[in-house]
Amino acid sequence: GNFEEHVDENNRSATAHGMKFQLVSEGPPAHIGFNSEMKDQKHLITVTIPSSFYEIGGELNVMFQVRTTADNIDSESAGWDDIKITAHFNCPSLAPTTSSPTNCLPSRELYNEDFEDNGLTGWTNGVLQYSTEFTTFLGRYGNNNSGPGKDPYKTYRIPSDATSIILEFNFYELDSWDGRYEADQAILVVNNKSLSLGRFDMYDNENGRNGSAHYMTFELSSEADPFNIGFGSFFDQKHLVKVTIPSNFYEETGEITIMFQTRLSESMLDDESAGWDNIKITASFRC
């Protein structure tokens, strides 16, 4: 397709000649390198090619074409990198690899943590909080108990043959978040790659927010409009966050490490804080 310096082409898809592609952008347009006056973007493209392209000759020729209008390569250019080809086979009589389910299913729930057993197995910097409105959850985290060396994190084992995983969790936005004029934000970190969930404000309904970074994508849905649920007298919100994580995060090591970061401007937990709950990881398989 056509690409434009100031347009975010994230989530583009199309089909032609039986092939289909999906494009996911690492981040919105921003200056990354080369011409400092221009914006760049990194895209991950996944193309599905049917067997009709190679079943007779047993080979595939791939060409990359760039068609730009500027004569100077410093004005506009393209690059291609990290080329990977994966073949899929029909093996109805064979079991899948040992790391996937014995009877292969398209998806399988790997983990589901609700902290109701008051356990923090595997968590570093984990603390628990209970209230009747939220039950037991990971938190509360605020200005004084978040930051380098303080943020909670945990490593999970993932089947290396999973095609992708879905990470779901509740994010509790508690009390006087001031995202409209302060950098009060929540961040998910996976294997040292940051995915910002954005700024939050006690008077704003963030329902329907989405974003992407490092080929991860997220969707956020809120349980209700902001209102006082518990703890201080300020407005709160419960959010459900769904993150899609591609296989390049775990296919070599068979694990991922997730960290929750809270960055707030007020020093007291009773002024503003965050909680995390109901962490679920689901793996998808090609069967």
PDB file of all heavy atoms in Angstrom, residues 35-61:
ATOM      1  N   ASN A  35      17.535  10.952   8.473  1.00  0.00           N
ATOM      2  CA  ASN A  35      17.164  12.367   8.358  1.00  0.00           C
ATOM      3  C   ASN A  35      16.409  12.836   9.598  1.00  0.00           C
ATOM      4  O   ASN A  35      15.307  12.374   9.887  1.00  0.00           O
ATOM      5  CB  ASN A  35      16.309  12.577   7.103  1.00  0.00           C
ATOM      6  CG  ASN A  35      16.165  14.052   6.752  1.00  0.00           C
ATOM      7  OD1 ASN A  35      16.144  14.915   7.624  1.00  0.00           O
ATOM      8  ND2 ASN A  35      16.058  14.337   5.461  1.00  0.00           N
ATOM      9  N   SER A  36      17.010  13.773  10.339  1.00  0.00           N
ATOM     10  CA  SER A  36      16.437  14.214  11.613  1.00  0.00           C
ATOM     11  C   SER A  36      15.170  15.037  11.456  1.00  0.00           C
ATOM     12  O   SER A  36      14.455  15.270  12.434  1.00  0.00           O
ATOM     13  CB  SER A  36      17.477  15.027  12.400  1.00  0.00           C
ATOM     14  OG  SER A  36      17.851  16.196  11.683  1.00  0.00           O
ATOM     15  N   GLU A  37      14.890  15.485  10.241  1.00  0.00           N
ATOM     16  CA  GLU A  37      13.696  16.299  10.018  1.00  0.00           C
ATOM     17  C   GLU A  37      12.482  15.465   9.634  1.00  0.00           C
ATOM     18  O   GLU A  37      11.379  15.997   9.499  1.00  0.00           O
ATOM     19  CB  GLU A  37      13.977  17.336   8.922  1.00  0.00           C
ATOM     20  CG  GLU A  37      15.086  18.326   9.279  1.00  0.00           C
ATOM     21  CD  GLU A  37      15.332  19.321   8.163  1.00  0.00           C
ATOM     22  OE1 GLU A  37      14.687  19.183   7.093  1.00  0.00           O
ATOM     23  OE2 GLU A  37      16.159  20.227   8.358  1.00  0.00           O
ATOM     24  N   MET A  38      12.668  14.173   9.476  1.00  0.00           N
ATOM     25  CA  MET A  38      11.603  13.289   9.017  1.00  0.00           C
ATOM     26  C   MET A  38      11.239  12.270  10.095  1.00  0.00           C
ATOM     27  O   MET A  38      12.030  11.956  10.971  1.00  0.00           O
ATOM     28  CB  MET A  38      12.033  12.547   7.744  1.00  0.00           C
ATOM     29  CG  MET A  38      12.545  13.446   6.632  1.00  0.00           C
ATOM     30  SD  MET A  38      11.250  14.514   5.950  1.00  0.00           S
ATOM     31  CE  MET A  38      12.175  15.304   4.604  1.00  0.00           C
ATOM     32  N   LYS A  39      10.010  11.722   9.983  1.00  0.00           N
ATOM     33  CA  LYS A  39       9.556  10.675  10.883  1.00  0.00           C
ATOM     34  C   LYS A  39       9.677   9.310  10.205  1.00  0.00           C
ATOM     35  O   LYS A  39       9.588   9.194   8.983  1.00  0.00           O
ATOM     36  CB  LYS A  39       8.103  10.926  11.302  1.00  0.00           C
ATOM     37  CG  LYS A  39       7.925  12.155  12.187  1.00  0.00           C
ATOM     38  CD  LYS A  39       6.488  12.304  12.647  1.00  0.00           C
ATOM     39  CE  LYS A  39       6.333  13.496  13.585  1.00  0.00           C
ATOM     40  NZ  LYS A  39       4.941  13.654  14.050  1.00  0.00           N
ATOM     41  N   ASP A  40       9.865   8.286  11.017  1.00  0.00           N
ATOM     42  CA  ASP A  40      10.039   6.928  10.525  1.00  0.00           C
ATOM     43  C   ASP A  40       9.040   6.007  11.231  1.00  0.00           C
ATOM     44  O   ASP A  40       8.399   6.376  12.216  1.00  0.00           O
ATOM     45  CB  ASP A  40      11.462   6.426  10.817  1.00  0.00           C
ATOM     46  CG  ASP A  40      12.525   7.471  10.501  1.00  0.00           C
ATOM     47  OD1 ASP A  40      12.709   7.775   9.323  1.00  0.00           O
ATOM     48  OD2 ASP A  40      13.146   7.992  11.458  1.00  0.00           O
ATOM     49  N   GLN A  41       8.947   4.771  10.733  1.00  0.00           N
ATOM     50  CA  GLN A  41       8.154   3.743  11.388  1.00  0.00           C
ATOM     51  C   GLN A  41       8.719   2.371  11.081  1.00  0.00           C
ATOM     52  O   GLN A  41       9.200   2.113   9.973  1.00  0.00           O
ATOM     53  CB  GLN A  41       6.679   3.809  10.929  1.00  0.00           C
ATOM     54  CG  GLN A  41       5.714   3.968  12.083  1.00  0.00           C
ATOM     55  CD  GLN A  41       4.259   3.995  11.682  1.00  0.00           C
ATOM     56  OE1 GLN A  41       3.892   4.380  10.572  1.00  0.00           O
ATOM     57  NE2 GLN A  41       3.413   3.591  12.597  1.00  0.00           N
ATOM     58  N   LYS A  42       8.678   1.491  12.093  1.00  0.00           N
ATOM     59  CA  LYS A  42       9.053   0.096  11.912  1.00  0.00           C
ATOM     60  C   LYS A  42       7.779  -0.747  11.874  1.00  0.00           C
ATOM     61  O   LYS A  42       6.932  -0.630  12.760  1.00  0.00           O
ATOM     62  CB  LYS A  42       9.946  -0.389  13.058  1.00  0.00           C
ATOM     63  CG  LYS A  42      11.309   0.287  13.139  1.00  0.00           C
ATOM     64  CD  LYS A  42      12.120  -0.293  14.302  1.00  0.00           C
ATOM     65  CE  LYS A  42      13.482   0.364  14.425  1.00  0.00           C
ATOM     66  NZ  LYS A  42      14.261  -0.219  15.564  1.00  0.00           N
ATOM     67  N   HIS A  43       7.648  -1.600  10.868  1.00  0.00           N
ATOM     68  CA  HIS A  43       6.468  -2.435  10.716  1.00  0.00           C
ATOM     69  C   HIS A  43       6.871  -3.910  10.699  1.00  0.00           C
ATOM     70  O   HIS A  43       7.883  -4.291  10.102  1.00  0.00           O
ATOM     71  CB  HIS A  43       5.736  -2.121   9.409  1.00  0.00           C
ATOM     72  CG  HIS A  43       5.422  -0.673   9.197  1.00  0.00           C
ATOM     73  ND1 HIS A  43       4.473  -0.004   9.933  1.00  0.00           N
ATOM     74  CD2 HIS A  43       5.939   0.243   8.326  1.00  0.00           C
ATOM     75  CE1 HIS A  43       4.401   1.257   9.520  1.00  0.00           C
ATOM     76  NE2 HIS A  43       5.277   1.428   8.554  1.00  0.00           N
ATOM     77  N   LEU A  44       6.069  -4.737  11.354  1.00  0.00           N
ATOM     78  CA  LEU A  44       6.206  -6.190  11.260  1.00  0.00           C
ATOM     79  C   LEU A  44       5.098  -6.696  10.339  1.00  0.00           C
ATOM     80  O   LEU A  44       3.918  -6.451  10.586  1.00  0.00           O
ATOM     81  CB  LEU A  44       6.083  -6.847  12.634  1.00  0.00           C
ATOM     82  CG  LEU A  44       6.026  -8.375  12.632  1.00  0.00           C
ATOM     83  CD1 LEU A  44       7.341  -8.952  12.126  1.00  0.00           C
ATOM     84  CD2 LEU A  44       5.705  -8.915  14.018  1.00  0.00           C
ATOM     85  N   ILE A  45       5.472  -7.393   9.279  1.00  0.00           N
ATOM     86  CA  ILE A  45       4.509  -7.875   8.295  1.00  0.00           C
ATOM     87  C   ILE A  45       4.506  -9.402   8.299  1.00  0.00           C
ATOM     88  O   ILE A  45       5.559 -10.038   8.172  1.00  0.00           O
ATOM     89  CB  ILE A  45       4.840  -7.343   6.892  1.00  0.00           C
ATOM     90  CG1 ILE A  45       4.825  -5.806   6.897  1.00  0.00           C
ATOM     91  CG2 ILE A  45       3.846  -7.888   5.865  1.00  0.00           C
ATOM     92  CD1 ILE A  45       5.293  -5.176   5.605  1.00  0.00           C
ATOM     93  N   THR A  46       3.326  -9.975   8.461  1.00  0.00           N
ATOM     94  CA  THR A  46       3.143 -11.418   8.399  1.00  0.00           C
ATOM     95  C   THR A  46       2.312 -11.747   7.168  1.00  0.00           C
ATOM     96  O   THR A  46       1.195 -11.243   7.020  1.00  0.00           O
ATOM     97  CB  THR A  46       2.433 -11.938   9.661  1.00  0.00           C
ATOM     98  OG1 THR A  46       3.190 -11.572  10.826  1.00  0.00           O
ATOM     99  CG2 THR A  46       2.297 -13.450   9.622  1.00  0.00           C
ATOM    100  N   VAL A  47       2.883 -12.554   6.272  1.00  0.00           N
ATOM    101  CA  VAL A  47       2.222 -12.905   5.012  1.00  0.00           C
ATOM    102  C   VAL A  47       1.944 -14.403   4.998  1.00  0.00           C
ATOM    103  O   VAL A  47       2.850 -15.213   5.233  1.00  0.00           O
ATOM    104  CB  VAL A  47       3.091 -12.529   3.792  1.00  0.00           C
ATOM    105  CG1 VAL A  47       2.334 -12.807   2.497  1.00  0.00           C
ATOM    106  CG2 VAL A  47       3.525 -11.066   3.866  1.00  0.00           C
ATOM    107  N   THR A  48       0.709 -14.775   4.743  1.00  0.00           N
ATOM    108  CA  THR A  48       0.342 -16.185   4.576  1.00  0.00           C
ATOM    109  C   THR A  48       0.298 -16.503   3.089  1.00  0.00           C
ATOM    110  O   THR A  48      -0.438 -15.859   2.328  1.00  0.00           O
ATOM    111  CB  THR A  48      -1.024 -16.463   5.219  1.00  0.00           C
ATOM    112  OG1 THR A  48      -0.981 -16.132   6.613  1.00  0.00           O
ATOM    113  CG2 THR A  48      -1.394 -17.933   5.072  1.00  0.00           C
ATOM    114  N   ILE A  49       1.101 -17.495   2.666  1.00  0.00           N
ATOM    115  CA  ILE A  49       1.232 -17.857   1.251  1.00  0.00           C
ATOM    116  C   ILE A  49       0.736 -19.285   1.070  1.00  0.00           C
ATOM    117  O   ILE A  49       1.271 -20.211   1.688  1.00  0.00           O
ATOM    118  CB  ILE A  49       2.696 -17.736   0.797  1.00  0.00           C
ATOM    119  CG1 ILE A  49       3.213 -16.303   1.053  1.00  0.00           C
ATOM    120  CG2 ILE A  49       2.837 -18.111  -0.670  1.00  0.00           C
ATOM    121  CD1 ILE A  49       4.700 -16.139   0.793  1.00  0.00           C
ATOM    122  N   PRO A  50      -0.262 -19.513   0.253  1.00  0.00           N
ATOM    123  CA  PRO A  50      -0.796 -20.876   0.073  1.00  0.00           C
ATOM    124  C   PRO A  50       0.163 -21.766  -0.695  1.00  0.00           C
ATOM    125  O   PRO A  50       1.077 -21.306  -1.388  1.00  0.00           O
ATOM    126  CB  PRO A  50      -2.097 -20.636  -0.704  1.00  0.00           C
ATOM    127  CG  PRO A  50      -1.859 -19.374  -1.458  1.00  0.00           C
ATOM    128  CD  PRO A  50      -0.991 -18.521  -0.563  1.00  0.00           C
ATOM    129  N   SER A  51      -0.068 -23.072  -0.616  1.00  0.00           N
ATOM    130  CA  SER A  51       0.844 -24.052  -1.208  1.00  0.00           C
ATOM    131  C   SER A  51       0.874 -23.989  -2.734  1.00  0.00           C
ATOM    132  O   SER A  51       1.820 -24.488  -3.350  1.00  0.00           O
ATOM    133  CB  SER A  51       0.453 -25.464  -0.771  1.00  0.00           C
ATOM    134  OG  SER A  51      -0.881 -25.766  -1.179  1.00  0.00           O
ATOM    135  N   SER A  52      -0.123 -23.380  -3.357  1.00  0.00           N
ATOM    136  CA  SER A  52      -0.148 -23.298  -4.816  1.00  0.00           C
ATOM    137  C   SER A  52       1.055 -22.533  -5.363  1.00  0.00           C
ATOM    138  O   SER A  52       1.390 -22.671  -6.543  1.00  0.00           O
ATOM    139  CB  SER A  52      -1.445 -22.620  -5.278  1.00  0.00           C
ATOM    140  OG  SER A  52      -1.586 -21.332  -4.687  1.00  0.00           O
ATOM    141  N   PHE A  53       1.723 -21.747  -4.517  1.00  0.00           N
ATOM    142  CA  PHE A  53       2.877 -20.975  -4.978  1.00  0.00           C
ATOM    143  C   PHE A  53       4.147 -21.825  -5.115  1.00  0.00           C
ATOM    144  O   PHE A  53       5.083 -21.408  -5.783  1.00  0.00           O
ATOM    145  CB  PHE A  53       3.145 -19.813  -4.014  1.00  0.00           C
ATOM    146  CG  PHE A  53       2.304 -18.589  -4.273  1.00  0.00           C
ATOM    147  CD1 PHE A  53       0.974 -18.551  -3.886  1.00  0.00           C
ATOM    148  CD2 PHE A  53       2.826 -17.481  -4.915  1.00  0.00           C
ATOM    149  CE1 PHE A  53       0.189 -17.434  -4.118  1.00  0.00           C
ATOM    150  CE2 PHE A  53       2.056 -16.355  -5.168  1.00  0.00           C
ATOM    151  CZ  PHE A  53       0.727 -16.338  -4.772  1.00  0.00           C
ATOM    152  N   TYR A  54       4.193 -22.996  -4.449  1.00  0.00           N
ATOM    153  CA  TYR A  54       5.447 -23.760  -4.438  1.00  0.00           C
ATOM    154  C   TYR A  54       5.267 -25.259  -4.592  1.00  0.00           C
ATOM    155  O   TYR A  54       6.248 -25.996  -4.677  1.00  0.00           O
ATOM    156  CB  TYR A  54       6.204 -23.488  -3.120  1.00  0.00           C
ATOM    157  CG  TYR A  54       5.365 -23.723  -1.879  1.00  0.00           C
ATOM    158  CD1 TYR A  54       5.180 -24.999  -1.364  1.00  0.00           C
ATOM    159  CD2 TYR A  54       4.747 -22.658  -1.234  1.00  0.00           C
ATOM    160  CE1 TYR A  54       4.397 -25.217  -0.253  1.00  0.00           C
ATOM    161  CE2 TYR A  54       3.959 -22.867  -0.120  1.00  0.00           C
ATOM    162  CZ  TYR A  54       3.791 -24.141   0.372  1.00  0.00           C
ATOM    163  OH  TYR A  54       3.005 -24.340   1.473  1.00  0.00           O
ATOM    164  N   GLU A  55       4.040 -25.765  -4.635  1.00  0.00           N
ATOM    165  CA  GLU A  55       3.844 -27.214  -4.595  1.00  0.00           C
ATOM    166  C   GLU A  55       4.354 -27.922  -5.856  1.00  0.00           C
ATOM    167  O   GLU A  55       4.656 -29.123  -5.814  1.00  0.00           O
ATOM    168  CB  GLU A  55       2.367 -27.530  -4.368  1.00  0.00           C
ATOM    169  CG  GLU A  55       1.422 -27.004  -5.421  1.00  0.00           C
ATOM    170  CD  GLU A  55      -0.042 -27.218  -5.036  1.00  0.00           C
ATOM    171  OE1 GLU A  55      -0.287 -27.847  -3.985  1.00  0.00           O
ATOM    172  OE2 GLU A  55      -0.934 -26.736  -5.760  1.00  0.00           O
ATOM    173  N   ILE A  56       4.479 -27.208  -6.972  1.00  0.00           N
ATOM    174  CA  ILE A  56       4.988 -27.835  -8.191  1.00  0.00           C
ATOM    175  C   ILE A  56       6.507 -27.672  -8.295  1.00  0.00           C
ATOM    176  O   ILE A  56       7.256 -28.643  -8.440  1.00  0.00           O
ATOM    177  CB  ILE A  56       4.297 -27.242  -9.441  1.00  0.00           C
ATOM    178  CG1 ILE A  56       2.793 -27.575  -9.415  1.00  0.00           C
ATOM    179  CG2 ILE A  56       4.938 -27.784 -10.713  1.00  0.00           C
ATOM    180  CD1 ILE A  56       2.026 -26.996 -10.590  1.00  0.00           C
ATOM    181  N   GLY A  57       7.004 -26.456  -8.198  1.00  0.00           N
ATOM    182  CA  GLY A  57       8.443 -26.215  -8.344  1.00  0.00           C
ATOM    183  C   GLY A  57       9.245 -26.423  -7.078  1.00  0.00           C
ATOM    184  O   GLY A  57      10.470 -26.548  -7.121  1.00  0.00           O
ATOM    185  N   GLY A  58       8.575 -26.435  -5.923  1.00  0.00           N
ATOM    186  CA  GLY A  58       9.281 -26.651  -4.671  1.00  0.00           C
ATOM    187  C   GLY A  58      10.141 -25.484  -4.235  1.00  0.00           C
ATOM    188  O   GLY A  58      11.057 -25.644  -3.419  1.00  0.00           O
ATOM    189  N   GLU A  59       9.873 -24.294  -4.777  1.00  0.00           N
ATOM    190  CA  GLU A  59      10.652 -23.132  -4.363  1.00  0.00           C
ATOM    191  C   GLU A  59       9.806 -21.875  -4.459  1.00  0.00           C
ATOM    192  O   GLU A  59       8.741 -21.856  -5.093  1.00  0.00           O
ATOM    193  CB  GLU A  59      11.910 -22.983  -5.225  1.00  0.00           C
ATOM    194  CG  GLU A  59      11.657 -22.784  -6.702  1.00  0.00           C
ATOM    195  CD  GLU A  59      12.947 -22.718  -7.511  1.00  0.00           C
ATOM    196  OE1 GLU A  59      13.965 -23.270  -7.031  1.00  0.00           O
ATOM    197  OE2 GLU A  59      12.933 -22.118  -8.585  1.00  0.00           O
ATOM    198  N   LEU A  60      10.346 -20.823  -3.838  1.00  0.00           N
ATOM    199  CA  LEU A  60       9.631 -19.556  -3.743  1.00  0.00           C
ATOM    200  C   LEU A  60      10.619 -18.421  -3.981  1.00  0.00           C
ATOM    201  O   LEU A  60      11.689 -18.395  -3.369  1.00  0.00           O
ATOM    202  CB  LEU A  60       9.008 -19.416  -2.338  1.00  0.00           C
ATOM    203  CG  LEU A  60       8.002 -18.320  -2.077  1.00  0.00           C
ATOM    204  CD1 LEU A  60       6.692 -18.598  -2.792  1.00  0.00           C
ATOM    205  CD2 LEU A  60       7.737 -18.223  -0.570  1.00  0.00           C
ATOM    206  N   ASN A  61      10.302 -17.511  -4.883  1.00  0.00           N
ATOM    207  CA  ASN A  61      11.120 -16.326  -5.113  1.00  0.00           C
ATOM    208  C   ASN A  61      10.429 -15.115  -4.498  1.00  0.00           C
ATOM    209  O   ASN A  61       9.262 -14.851  -4.787  1.00  0.00           O
ATOM    210  CB  ASN A  61      11.335 -16.092  -6.614  1.00  0.00           C
ATOM    211  CG  ASN A  61      12.182 -17.178  -7.261  1.00  0.00           C
ATOM    212  OD1 ASN A  61      13.159 -17.619  -6.663  1.00  0.00           O
ATOM    213  ND2 ASN A  61      11.811 -17.606  -8.446  1.00  0.00           N
TER     214      ASN A  61
END
